Amino acid sequence: MYKIRAVIKVLFRTTAKKYPIFFILKTIRMLVTTAMPFIALFISPLIVDEIVGDRDVNRLITLAALLIGLEVVFRLLNDLCTNYINRYSTRIERYFDILIGRHVMELDFQLTEDKEALEQIEKARTGMEWYSGGVNGISDQFFDFIGSVFKAAGFITVLALHAPILLAVMVVYSVFNALLVYKRNKINIEAFAKLSKVNRLFGYFGWTIVDPRFGKDIRLYDAKGMMVDSWKDNTRKSNSHWKWQGDSCFPFILVSEYLSLGRSIFAYFYVALLAIRKVIGVGTFTQLVAAEGGLDNAIGGMVRSVTELIKRCNYAYEYVVFMDYPEALAKGTRPIEKKQHEIEFRHVSFAYPKTDRKVLDDVNIKIVPGEHLSIVGLNGAGKTTFIKLLCRLYDPTEGEILVDGVDIREYDYAQYMEQFAPVFQDFKLFAFSVKENISFTRDCPDITALTDRVGLHDFVEGLDKGTDTNIFKFFDEEGVEPSGGEQQKIAIARALCKDAPVVILDEPTAALDPIAEYEIYKQFNSLVGGKSAFYISHRLSSCQFCDRIAVFSDGHIAEYGTHAELEKIDGGIYAEMFEAQAKYYKD
Ligand code: ADP
């Protein structure tokens, strides 16, 4: 029950704030559809009584015109509301997509690497789509339920006035019927849970067979037979599952049908008896027969909409959970200026969430303002993790990181993020223009000068619309697909445009050819200027451009000093690595 309350509160409130008209339309439509059956219920008996009684033509015409007129107006209102509701429903769907998307982008970064959080995003997305029908699907059931309650109340009043015994029979019948529906729902819920596994396997084989990426392996390793057999096997399981569901529900459906038939027969006999005994007129006879059928429908509608509402809210609840997902990092409020900083790691250790292994183990280092630090070490030594901690994508498990003597957890998060311009190994370009990929919403005075500086002069010259050319072809047929090296240079230009006091380049030259790499190295100091810089690289020749070098090994800083100092350490990691690479280049 709390799930239904939470879903309705969050979803309806969010929608009502943005599109209040949506609920006004739904309320009007609910009132109209609730009133519709009562038009005939009250006017038809008057017509019948007139026909078998006075046969006043004027009165008959008036009643018929009223019946038809009200039907026409109500149907028109219903159609108009439905038309507008459908329009708003698509807009609302998009609006919730945006809300989910925005929340994903605002999540603490570490949650984007967390399996549970990723699953929750997926559940929220699917939960708000066809599983629940979104706000439209859920509010349909909600308003259907309220409408059915009103209808039931109307029919009950009519029956209570003229045929209380029939009403009592209807109540007993409805209780039995609700029991049967409950049993059937239980089977369906159980079947749904079992079916999701069958469907997953079924879907896997179905999709893999038609996925062109598997084409080569299927052909060259003759996987066709195995795939088709597995698919057939799952089809058999799926079929037998449907059979079980159908067979289990069948007796309940049968009893339900006969019970309903029995109720109708009783109703006709009983009401006919009242008419024969002249307790009621012919008009009331038709009214009671209609009210009996109407009440049955309204109760059925109530049961259906409640069951649907529970089911749909269960799915949509994943959205509520996701939007309330707890923050992973505590955020401070201390302001921080955009200026040169002193950075210090003090006894910093770190294990990734839900793991025990210390990826960083007692790291201590102090970087003076404007210093250029080269970070080297074998793969997996903890270099990127060190940078992630500095950028507050994660917090240390032990120890502290100080910027200008203050624990970075105390700083205002957004302002702190403004201090860093990193180019990660796995940077991403977006399907916007080259200019937008570099500046985003920032004011970057001279993009062309920037692209020239990172060696993109010829690339930009070759583009029809210069830096206004779109990257990739998603939005623009004329879009450009930059090479890996060009993409990396755009990412470097992006970092420079941010004009942050600390520049971080994590293997920025990995996709560059040797000449482009040399150009970047050569210009490195002028590119970064007087800013602090962290430079992760496997190519040790780059270290010569930096003030100091930190050699990471097994999660700690094994060696630290200038190139000249480290080169001299006998048997040192850096000396050996440098020697090996120099030899490789010389040979
Ligand atoms: P480097 O940059 O020196 O190659 P990393 O800092 O990327 O090393 O990784 C250090 C260790 O942390 C590696 O063993 C890696 O497998 C592990 N690691 C990196 N990212 C994650 C993560 N998100 N979750 C768990 N372990 C991770």
Side-chain angles (χ1 to χ4, degrees):
M1 198 62 199
Y2 72 94
K3 285 188 182 175
I4 300 182
R5 243 200 338 259
V7 168
I8 288 183
K9 197 170 132 194
V10 173
L11 261 55
F12 284 20
R13 192 178 281 176
T14 312
T15 311
K17 263 194 203 150
K18 180 90 180 159
Y19 299 106
I21 183 81
F22 181 73
F23 290 109
I24 297 174
L25 287 167
K26 284 228 158 176
T27 309
I28 297 174
R29 186 173 71 170
M30 186 263 290
L31 293 174
V32 168
T33 48
T34 305
M36 270 162 87
F38 292 96
I39 301 174
L41 192 81
F42 287 111
I43 300 179
S44 300
L46 299 179
I47 296 178
V48 173
D49 282 342
E50 199 57 47
I51 292 170
V52 295
D54 300 345
R55 297 193 181 177
D56 177 341
V57 178
N58 279 343
R59 225 174 111 73
L60 269 175
I61 291 176
T62 316
L63 284 171
L66 189 66
L67 181 70
I68 295 167
L70 283 174
E71 281 281 346
V72 168
V73 172
F74 276 47
R75 273 168 205 260
L76 185 70
L77 267 174
N78 184 22
D79 288 346
L80 278 176
C81 288
T82 305
N83 188 20
Y84 281 104
I85 285 168
N86 288 345
R87 273 192 226 170
Y88 278 106
S89 139
T90 321
R91 284 191 214 168
I92 291 167
E93 237 174 76
R94 295 288 89 81
Y95 178 57
F96 275 88
D97 281 348
I98 292 172
L99 290 182
I100 293 178
R102 191 180 292 161
H103 196 59
V104 170
M105 288 191 277
E106 285 168 356
L107 271 188
D108 287 333
F109 172 80
Q110 69 176 71
L111 294 175
T112 66
E113 294 190 334
D114 181 310
K115 201 169 143 266
E116 262 173 42
L118 292 177
E119 273 179 11
Q120 192 57 49
I121 296 174
E122 193 50 29
K123 281 196 220 163
R125 261 183 6 83
T126 47
M128 280 302 286
E129 287 172 2
W130 61 274
Y131 281 156
S132 69
V135 175
N136 192 35
I138 289 170
S139 59
D140 265 350
Q141 303 309 322
F142 179 78
F143 282 102
D144 275 357
F145 176 74
I146 296 180
S148 299
V149 171
F150 282 148
K151 278 188 214 164
F155 293 127
I156 285 173
T157 312
V158 172
L159 288 176
L161 282 176
H162 301 289
I165 292 180
L166 178 57
L167 181 62
V169 171
M170 287 292 292
V171 170
V172 175
Y173 159 79
S174 299
V175 170
F176 273 111
N177 201 36
L179 218 67
L180 293 171
V181 172
Y182 170 75
K183 295 257 185 209
R184 249 164 56 200
N185 276 342
K186 242 176 93 167
I187 294 171
N188 286 337
I189 289 169
E190 194 186 328
F192 188 79
K194 282 184 192 163
L195 193 67
S196 70
K197 189 178 169 221
V198 178
N199 268 348
R200 208 170 52 236
L201 291 171
F202 196 63
Y204 172 75
F205 290 112
W207 282 114
T208 311
I209 282 173
V210 296
D211 187 339
R213 286 174 304 170
F214 290 87
K216 286 199 288 295
D217 298 276
I218 287 178
R219 278 159 189 77
L220 288 161
Y221 292 98
D222 199 17
K224 192 174 95 184
M226 205 170 86
M227 292 299 291
V228 172
D229 285 348
S230 303
W231 198 25
K232 276 189 190 157
D233 186 40
N234 275 289
T235 311
R236 258 194 306 276
K237 277 188 194 151
S238 175
N239 287 345
S240 71
H241 182 82
W242 285 112
K243 184 176 172 313
W244 169 80
Q245 188 179 353
D247 288 352
S248 313
C249 285
F250 186 65
F252 296 106
I253 295 174
L254 214 61
V255 175
S256 222
E257 287 291 328
Y258 287 126
L259 214 57
S260 167
L261 185 67
R263 189 211 72 230
S264 289
I265 293 171
F266 172 80
Y268 271 100
F269 270 114
Y270 177 68
V271 177
L273 203 68
L274 292 182
I276 291 165
R277 285 192 183 163
K278 300 232 184 308
V279 180
I280 55 172
V282 186
T284 312
F285 170 82
T286 57
Q287 189 182 47
L288 288 179
V289 169
E292 183 265 345
L295 181 58
D296 186 39
N297 270 340
I299 292 173
M302 270 158 64
V303 174
R304 245 192 331 273
S305 42
V306 161
T307 341
E308 273 295 309
L309 194 65
I310 294 172
K311 198 172 85 187
R312 286 166 189 246
C313 284
N314 261 315
Y315 290 127
Y317 186 67
E318 302 297 346
Y319 168 84
V320 178
V321 172
F322 173 61
M323 293 309 267
D324 216 15
Y325 214 82
E327 291 194 341
L329 298 176
K331 315 258 160 69
T333 51
R334 201 184 180 108
I336 177 165
E337 243 179 272
K338 247 181 158 181
K339 64 171 180 68
Q340 299 273 351
H341 301 294
E342 181 194 78
I343 296 167
E344 184 181 357
F345 276 58
R346 214 182 262 173
H347 301 296
V348 169
S349 295
F350 178 71
Y352 277 97
K354 296 170 193 158
T355 65
D356 298 328
R357 191 168 66 90
K358 278 189 182 175
V359 172
L360 293 181
D361 191 3
D362 197 23
V363 170
N364 290 287
I365 190 167
K366 194 182 231 175
I367 300 118
V368 297
E371 181 172 337
H372 292 183
L373 180 75
S374 182
I375 303 172
V376 300
L378 298 177
N379 275 338
K383 305 182 294 292
T384 304
T385 307
F386 172 81
I387 296 297
K388 283 186 187 166
L389 292 195
L390 176 62
C391 294
R392 274 214 84 191
L393 300 182
Y394 289 89
D395 276 341
T397 323
E398 286 164 46
E400 54 186 359
I401 302 169
L402 306 170
V403 166
D404 301 331
V406 174
D407 191 318
I408 59 175
R409 285 172 279 213
E410 289 182 25
Y411 286 122
D412 176 274
Y413 193 74
Q415 285 183 20
Y416 186 73
M417 286 296 178
E418 279 301 303
Q419 311 302 315
F420 300 95
V423 180
F424 287 107
Q425 270 170 295
D426 54 355
F427 67 88
K428 293 279 180 287
L429 297 188
F430 301 92
F432 300 134
S433 70
V434 175
K435 192 196 272 174
E436 286 164 328
N437 263 285
I438 293 174
S439 63
F440 292 99
T441 51
R442 280 169 214 285
D443 192 19
C444 228
D446 195 348
I447 293 275
T448 319
L450 206 57
T451 48
D452 285 355
R453 271 171 70 199
V454 296
L456 281 172
H457 178 82
D458 293 348
F459 170 74
V460 173
E461 283 286 292
L463 300 175
D464 281 348
K465 290 188 249 167
T467 52
D468 287 320
T469 309
N470 259 340
I471 292 183
F472 309 131
K473 299 192 187 293
F474 291 103
F475 294 129
D476 186 358
E477 278 293 302
E478 311 283 298
V480 59
E481 299 268 351
S483 69
E486 286 157 353
Q487 294 197 23
Q488 216 144 18
K489 287 176 185 171
I490 295 173
I492 294 173
R494 173 195 286 174
L496 297 178
C497 171
K498 188 174 177 186
D499 198 24
V502 184
V503 177
I504 297 164
L505 304 178
D506 185 353
E507 285 257 36
T509 54
L512 299 181
D513 58 66
I515 297 172
E517 182 188 335
Y518 177 70
E519 289 297 322
I520 295 267
Y521 283 165
K522 213 170 61 176
Q523 288 193 27
F524 180 58
N525 285 334
S526 80
L527 279 177
V528 174
K531 299 169 195 287
S532 303
F534 291 80
Y535 197 97
I536 302 183
S537 180
H538 280 301
R539 294 176 184 148
L540 299 193
S541 46
S542 67
C543 295
Q544 296 169 36
F545 298 94
C546 292
D547 300 318
R548 281 202 170 66
I549 300 156
V551 183
F552 275 70
S553 172
D554 286 336
H556 66 274
I557 298 175
E559 293 169 14
Y560 177 61
T562 62
H563 170 74
E565 285 165 0
L566 298 189
E567 201 187 23
K568 282 193 216 114
I569 301 176
D570 222 8
I573 304 172
Y574 180 80
E576 276 189 7
M577 280 166 77
F578 190 77
E579 182 56 28
Q581 286 194 5
K583 216 168 98 205
Y584 169 75
Y585 276 113
K586 272 188 245 153
D587 288 348

